[in-house]
Amino acid sequence: QSALTQPPSASGSPGQSVTISCTGTSSDVGGYNYVSWYQQHPGKAPKLMIYEVSKRPSGVPDRFSGSKSGNTASLTVSGLQAEDEADYYCISYAGSHMKVFGTGTKVTVL
Amino acid sequence: EVQLVESGGGLVQPGGSLTLSCAASGFTFSSYWMTWVRQAPGKGLEWVGNVIQDGSESHCVDSVKGRFTISRDNAKNSLYLQINSLRAEDTAVYYCAREGSGWLNWDYWGQGTLVTVSS
């Protein structure tokens, strides 16, 4: 199972929006509405931001939103804030109990 | 308060074995699937595997099948990851996580334990 493809980096100024893509295949992203997004600050454990494509856990700001079209899922962070600077990983169900992470995207707030 | 605390990491020689533990507290451990995720130094996250609530079923990523075994002891509120035939590429921080309601909803994570495979 190959890792899902994410851009290595993305950036935006405070207040702007940034969108991160997560591209897989019809066997993972395109085949199921089971895509989650995790935020990870350096030296910390990942934190769930979005699950099942677009559901936001309680406590996650509504600046974070998720969507999916075909084999590509996306995470949008609106109204960028300094604390949003982190690594972001998508993960998808890939059938037969398997899960596959994306390659990760480093978001920089300029 | 939900807490997950991993332990058991350390320096191990190639070919050796290790068992990682994850002590859970603050929730009904036996009601949740549990997951292991690892991260090699400076690299991305990799799903390792998970185990069902009663421990009767577990799944691992293909790359570790046959070497990694995931188990749990609900009486001890503990999750385990047994790693055999350790390789340099197994060097990573290993995290345990609770699977909340919903798919891929890993809502609580431990702080991780570092496994270093080197001679």
Side-chain angles (χ1 to χ4, degrees):
Chain A
Q1 189 69 46
S2 298
L4 307 177
T5 301
Q6 298 181 232
S9 62
S11 62
S13 299
Q16 290 186 331
S17 295
V18 65
T19 296
I20 304 166
S21 61
C22 169
T23 301
T25 69
S26 58
S27 297
D28 37 62
V29 175
Y32 309 92
N33 287 323
Y34 301 140
V35 176
S36 295
W37 290 90
Y38 288 84
Q39 176 193 67
Q40 187 181 35
H41 288 106
K44 301 295 186 182
K47 175 186 176 183
L48 177 68
M49 306 305 285
I50 295 287
Y51 69 102
E52 293 178 12
V53 176
S54 59
K55 296 180 180 179
R56 200 170 44 248
S58 60
V60 172
D62 59 7
R63 304 184 291 104
F64 292 84
S65 61
S67 62
K68 193 188 85 165
S69 178
N71 296 337
T72 298
S74 298
L75 174 72
T76 297
V77 185
S78 305
L80 266 175
Q81 298 184 4
E83 59 261 36
D84 300 332
E85 185 162 296
D87 293 326
Y88 291 83
Y89 295 90
C90 62
I91 181 168
S92 174
Y93 181 64
S96 301
H97 301 283
M98 295 297 107
K99 289 84 171 172
V100 59
F101 272 105
T103 50
T105 298
K106 181 176 180 61
V107 169
T108 301
V109 181
L110 302 171
Chain B
E1 178 193 6
V2 172
Q3 283 198 318
L4 297 170
V5 179
E6 301 94 337
S7 61
L11 177 62
V12 188
Q13 291 193 337
S17 297
L18 199 63
T19 297
L20 306 182
S21 300
C22 170
S25 61
F27 65 102
T28 305
F29 180 69
S30 59
S31 295
Y32 293 85
W33 281 76
M34 295 296 294
T35 281
W36 286 99
V37 171
R38 68 180 179 180
Q39 186 170 36
K43 303 297 184 182
L45 300 171
E46 180 182 26
W47 177 76
V48 172
N50 62 358
V51 61
I52 201 171
Q53 288 94 329
D54 66 0
S56 62
E57 179 183 332
S58 64
H59 307 280
C60 287
V61 66
D62 287 347
S63 60
V64 307
K65 280 180 180 175
R67 296 193 302 120
F68 286 28
T69 302
I70 299 174
S71 62
R72 64 193 294 163
D73 185 338
N74 287 342
K76 295 182 177 180
N77 289 336
S78 293
L79 171 72
Y80 304 103
L81 176 64
Q82 182 177 351
I83 310 174
N84 297 323
S85 303
L86 276 156
R87 306 167 180 169
E89 54 264 36
D90 295 322
T91 295
V93 173
Y94 286 75
Y95 295 100
C96 65
R98 186 183 85 166
E99 298 191 17
S101 60
W103 284 75
L104 304 181
N105 179 350
W106 301 326
D107 53 2
Y108 288 93
W109 294 65
Q111 83 289 349
T113 188
L114 175 63
V115 173
T116 302
V117 184
S118 174
S119 55

